[in-house]
Amino acid sequence: MSDAHTRTHVTDASYRFAVGLYCFMLALYLLAAFFPESRVWGLNIWAYFPVWVPLVLLVVGLIVLELTACLKFADPDRQEVKPGPAAISYGVFSVAITVILGLAFYLLRARTFFFGDGYQELVRLATDNFIVKPSSPGTVIVVRWLKSAVGGDSTAAVLFSYQAVAVFSGLCFTVAVALVSRRLFVRNTDRILFLSGLVSGGYMLLFFGCVENYALFATTVGVFTLLGLLVAQRRLAAWWLIPVVALSVCWHVFGVVLIPAAVYLLVVNTKLGRSIARIQWKTKALLLLLAGLPAALVFFYFLNRSLYFRFAMVPLVAHRFTPEGYTLFSLTHLVDFVNLLLLMVPGLLVLLVMLPVLPLKHMSERLDYRYLTILALSALGAAFVVDPKLGMARDWDLLSFCGIPMVTFMYFAVLDGGRRVRHGRLICVLAIVLGFVVLFPRALWLTDDGVSVAHFEDYLRQDRLRNRNSWIHLVNFHKERGDTTRTEDAFRRWKTGFPEELMIARANELYYKEKDLPGTMELLRRIIDINPTYADAYDFLGVCYIHLNQYDTAEALLRIAVGLMPYRATTLTNLGTALVRRGDYAEAEDAYLEAVALDPTSLQAVYSLAHLYRTTGRMNEYREYLEKAGAVDGAPEKIIKELITVCLTHGDTEKAAEVLRKTPSVVADTVFMAKMRKIYPLWDSFLHEQVPGPSE
């Protein structure tokens, strides 16, 4: 039997197998729709729609399968080199798909925001908080700037800003893929399939008006992936990757996963890279180990020194703070990761059929495939070890970046590496169809209150402890729609489902009303025994130990609270207070500054920082933050009086007068009036000039 005949036989069998897997996936989506509460969130996409919707989607998938049988692509050995009509048809297609997707991003923009921290982001950025998450400052700065430019109602402006950024990011991603596809492939068919494949990935949902901080980041990852291919093929200078990596880190700290692939492309064609290429593989392995050693040391340093960093990783083995036994190789985590892969690449199994017939040895020798391998493994590795704080079903948006290199690799391999393999393009069509029959129903979720709420409640039950605080979004959702019955039902299920919620309320009564410190501490310890990941209990117990002057214990508890809930200004302020009481002023300053950065309107944080500076003799900083505390809405008269006293002591009568005019009620305090006459002999004349008519 000839080699050509053998190859044809293999690929025909592969195509039939791919068709079988395609039908299997369609059937699986239909079947999973009837089990929405199961942990198959990457498959039960069609759940909670009316029954006819999944049936229609199934029929559409089968009709497309029948149509693909009629497709006749050019013979794989024939090169399409004629310019003109070929280029025009691709240009028309790329413009058309960009317009269609742009309209879809806008018309199907999200109306519900249960994924990730959507509702929380809307509330936070509607206030004066500037940096919400230090891990993604760039997006917050852009959204806040756009919000200020739009003006009007704060919440509406924030929503518009987030959705405008999402739609803009999606259009940029689509245009980037369209432009790079043109340079990567000669044939129109391959260009069109590559473009269609990349815009059918599950990460595209980020661009449908989702309120999150990852749309710009995902687009930048996509741009980096595509530019890296051009660099690997020597069609672009490698230095272009440097600003793209810097921009990705600005959008999100996970941009660091691009660094290994960027370093590889920057070094491989240099004298150093060529020297490394000539040495034996054992020496290469040793050099790779030595190169990775500093990164490993940094990793383990933060793992041991920072509870926040430790809690950000899925643990290898279960410990006290592991929610529901969720470890790196636990069945739950592995199932979640498979769900994530199927969500990002619905046609994953169909595309993998091509693996045995691809020229793998030849591909492994090429620079572009090595680059894509490094990038894909870095992204997938990061997604595998990062702990999804809200459960992976809700935190898929944070981890969606891993899908972009993987989708790029798979379609590029089939269309380029397998260009001499029959049926490769047909298999790509099947994978693209699976992508779209998953993507658009997911987009429709976000526009339908009933479907969104139903899926959200499933996720609340699947990752119970992780979503303890997320019930408030469901309560507020029904409350804003005026549905009192559902609001009360959601609130009841929340509180009865978590006995620690009722216990923490009782602890507050014991502490504030009954002044029973021992009883409060005993109840808080019981709460921690029930739920070892309850940050509020550690925070509260740490405050109790501050009152007992046991500052080491207080610090340990508060650091656990910060590790579990890193974006809470009050916890950081309490930690700063424990450190001040212990005499560790440098670390206390860091804690206070971080609290103020998270919430500049936190009176407790700003005023505590001011007094830290006064204690350490840094009077300029003391006055600066005292003024900031006095400017906070609702600042108590105690702070106003202190600020006036400091201003007059330093001879700043203008600032004192400004503060006094804003709060003239302080003159009613006779003790304060007597104190000011001693400090500032001209107080009475000054008072009558600035606040005419006050009485003593």
Side-chain angles (χ1 to χ4, degrees):
M1 185 179 293
S2 68
D3 179 66
H5 182 74
T6 303
R7 184 181 62 196
T8 301
H9 173 75
V10 171
T11 52
D12 284 345
S14 298
Y15 176 66
R16 289 194 294 271
F17 187 42
V19 170
L21 281 176
Y22 173 83
C23 295
F24 171 74
M25 290 302 298
L26 288 175
L28 203 57
Y29 287 129
L30 180 64
L31 181 64
F34 296 98
F35 299 94
E37 296 183 2
S38 301
R39 204 176 191 91
V40 288
W41 48 267
L43 295 171
N44 56 20
I45 312 299
W46 301 348
Y48 294 116
F49 286 110
V51 176
W52 62 267
V53 173
L55 292 176
V56 167
L57 289 169
L58 177 65
V59 171
V60 168
L62 294 176
I63 290 174
V64 172
L65 174 62
E66 185 65 27
L67 292 176
T68 57
C70 303
L71 290 176
K72 295 190 180 296
F73 293 114
D75 185 85
D77 292 321
R78 194 183 75 197
Q79 293 296 318
E80 182 183 297
V81 295
K82 292 183 179 180
I88 293 173
S89 64
Y90 175 70
V92 171
F93 178 83
S94 58
V95 169
I97 198 169
T98 302
V99 172
I100 291 170
L101 284 175
L103 290 173
F105 295 153
Y106 175 74
L107 296 176
L108 297 178
R109 65 191 183 278
R111 272 74 168 179
T112 61
F113 313 103
F114 291 115
F115 285 124
D117 295 321
Y119 283 112
Q120 197 169 343
E121 298 296 336
L122 286 176
V123 172
R124 284 178 170 174
L125 273 183
T127 66
D128 292 330
N129 291 351
F130 186 67
I131 298 296
V132 176
K133 287 187 176 180
S135 59
S136 52
T139 303
V140 177
I141 292 171
V142 170
V143 171
R144 187 172 180 84
W145 171 82
L146 192 55
K147 170 205 166 191
S148 301
V150 171
D153 177 70
S154 292
T155 303
V158 172
L159 176 58
F160 171 83
S161 301
Y162 264 118
Q163 296 196 321
V165 167
V167 172
F168 173 75
S169 300
L171 290 173
C172 289
F173 180 88
T174 306
V175 170
V177 177
L179 293 175
V180 175
S181 297
R182 188 184 188 88
R183 298 193 63 184
L184 288 175
F185 301 98
V186 175
R187 299 180 181 181
N188 260 3
T189 301
D190 295 337
R191 293 168 174 171
I192 289 171
L193 290 175
F194 187 73
L195 171 58
S196 302
L198 263 65
V199 298
S200 65
Y203 44 80
M204 294 295 291
L205 189 63
L206 291 172
F207 308 133
F208 284 81
C210 288
V211 175
E212 261 299 352
N213 295 322
Y214 312 124
L216 287 169
F217 175 58
T219 296
T220 310
V221 171
V223 169
F224 175 87
T225 305
L226 296 168
L227 293 184
L229 272 175
L230 295 180
V231 171
Q233 296 182 358
R234 302 197 176 190
R235 302 184 186 190
L236 189 71
W239 66 265
W240 279 100
L241 299 177
I242 298 174
V244 179
V245 172
L247 189 61
S248 70
V249 175
C250 174
W251 299 139
H252 199 281
V253 70
F254 282 174
V256 297
V257 302
L258 307 181
I259 293 177
V263 170
Y264 174 72
L265 289 180
L266 288 167
V267 172
V268 68
N269 286 320
T270 64
K271 184 177 179 180
L272 173 63
R274 288 189 289 271
S275 299
I276 294 174
R278 288 193 293 267
I279 63 179
Q280 295 182 348
W281 69 268
K282 291 182 179 180
T283 309
K284 287 181 184 178
L286 180 60
L287 289 175
L288 183 62
L289 182 64
L290 292 175
L293 187 59
L297 291 175
V298 171
F299 176 83
F300 284 108
Y301 172 81
F302 283 106
L303 193 66
N304 290 321
R305 292 294 299 269
S306 171
L307 286 175
Y308 167 63
F309 190 82
R310 185 185 303 177
F311 294 157
M313 304 293 168
V314 180
L316 184 61
V317 294
H319 51 67
R320 178 176 176 81
F321 306 105
T322 305
E324 300 168 311
Y326 198 89
T327 60
L328 202 60
F329 296 103
S330 63
L331 180 61
T332 305
H333 179 57
L334 295 176
V335 168
D336 275 348
F337 195 67
V338 171
N339 275 296
L340 179 68
L341 296 181
L342 292 175
L343 197 65
M344 294 301 102
V345 197
L348 176 65
L349 298 181
V350 173
L351 290 169
L352 286 176
V353 169
M354 293 294 297
L355 190 62
V357 295
L358 289 175
L360 298 180
K361 186 176 186 303
H362 172 68
M363 291 165 61
S364 67
E365 296 171 352
R366 284 178 48 178
L367 184 61
D368 44 10
Y369 286 105
R370 290 178 179 178
Y371 154 73
L372 285 174
T373 300
I374 294 171
L375 180 59
L377 290 178
S378 298
L380 289 170
F384 186 70
V385 301
V386 170
D387 188 31
K389 293 299 182 184
L390 301 175
M392 205 176 287
R394 287 187 61 210
D395 259 347
W396 69 267
D397 49 1
L398 169 64
L399 305 176
S400 62
F401 70 92
C402 75
I404 299 171
M406 183 169 60
V407 170
T408 304
F409 188 112
M410 299 188 78
Y411 281 103
F412 182 74
V414 173
L415 296 172
D416 176 76
R419 61 177 177 266
R420 294 186 177 276
V421 179
R422 291 183 60 193
H423 305 308
R425 294 177 182 84
L426 289 175
I427 289 175
C428 283
V429 172
L430 298 180
I432 290 166
V433 172
L434 285 176
F436 282 122
V437 298
V438 169
L439 176 63
F440 281 100
R442 291 176 67 212
L444 288 172
W445 277 13
L446 308 183
T447 66
D448 187 296
D449 290 358
V451 176
S452 292
V453 168
H455 278 287
F456 180 57
E457 291 197 18
D458 285 339
Y459 300 154
L460 292 178
R461 287 187 287 268
Q462 287 173 17
D463 294 289
R464 178 181 169 277
L465 290 181
R466 292 178 181 275
N467 286 291
R468 176 183 58 82
N469 290 327
S470 300
W471 280 87
I472 188 63
H473 302 316
L474 186 62
V475 172
N476 289 337
F477 178 83
H478 291 309
K479 185 177 181 180
E480 289 172 4
R481 282 153 181 74
D483 193 333
T484 305
T485 302
R486 290 185 177 179
T487 301
E488 293 175 351
D489 177 65
F491 186 81
R492 177 189 56 78
R493 286 187 290 153
W494 177 21
K495 296 302 179 181
T496 56
F498 296 91
E500 57 267 36
E501 290 289 327
L502 300 176
M503 294 168 71
I504 201 79
R506 175 57 183 157
N508 276 281
E509 291 179 357
L510 288 171
Y511 183 81
Y512 291 105
K513 292 183 179 180
E514 302 178 21
K515 310 298 181 183
D516 184 359
L517 185 59
T520 302
M521 296 176 70
E522 176 61 29
L523 188 54
L524 291 172
R525 292 190 189 98
R526 286 170 53 197
I527 292 173
I528 291 172
D529 288 338
I530 294 172
N531 184 355
T533 63
Y534 197 174
D536 305 65
Y538 291 100
D539 188 1
F540 200 165
L541 190 57
V543 171
C544 292
Y545 275 104
I546 290 175
H547 286 293
L548 292 177
N549 300 327
Q550 297 183 27
Y551 304 126
D552 289 340
T553 304
E555 180 194 356
L557 290 165
L558 289 164
R559 287 196 183 279
I560 292 172
V562 171
L564 293 169
M565 191 72 68
Y567 302 117
R568 182 177 291 174
T570 53
T571 305
L572 286 163
T573 305
N574 291 334
L575 175 59
T577 301
L579 292 167
V580 165
R581 300 285 182 85
R582 207 183 64 180
D584 194 341
Y585 297 130
E587 289 200 32
E589 181 183 5
D590 291 340
Y592 285 146
L593 286 171
E594 190 175 348
V596 172
L598 285 171
D599 186 0
T601 64
S602 172
L603 184 62
Q604 181 189 8
V606 176
Y607 189 58
S608 296
L609 184 57
H611 270 258
L612 169 64
Y613 288 135
R614 187 179 71 174
T615 302
T616 55
R618 297 162 64 180
M619 301 311 292
N620 290 334
E621 289 89 345
Y622 161 59
R623 181 177 170 184
E624 176 190 350
Y625 280 92
L626 185 62
E627 289 181 9
K628 290 181 179 181
V632 174
D633 289 340
E637 287 190 358
K638 171 188 174 183
I639 294 177
I640 302 301
K641 294 171 185 176
E642 184 178 349
L643 179 56
I644 293 172
T645 303
V646 169
C647 290
L648 290 177
T649 302
H650 290 81
D652 191 350
T653 56
E654 291 185 7
K655 182 63 181 179
E658 178 188 338
V659 175
L660 189 58
R661 282 193 295 270
K662 291 180 180 178
T663 319
S665 59
V666 296
V667 300
D669 186 342
T670 55
V671 175
F672 174 70
M673 295 284 283
K675 177 183 177 182
M676 294 311 299
R677 288 190 183 97
K678 291 181 180 179
I679 295 174
Y680 188 63
L682 299 177
W683 170 254
D684 287 323
S685 59
F686 169 77
L687 188 62
H688 284 288
E689 287 177 8
Q690 302 303 329
V691 189
S695 62
E696 297 186 11

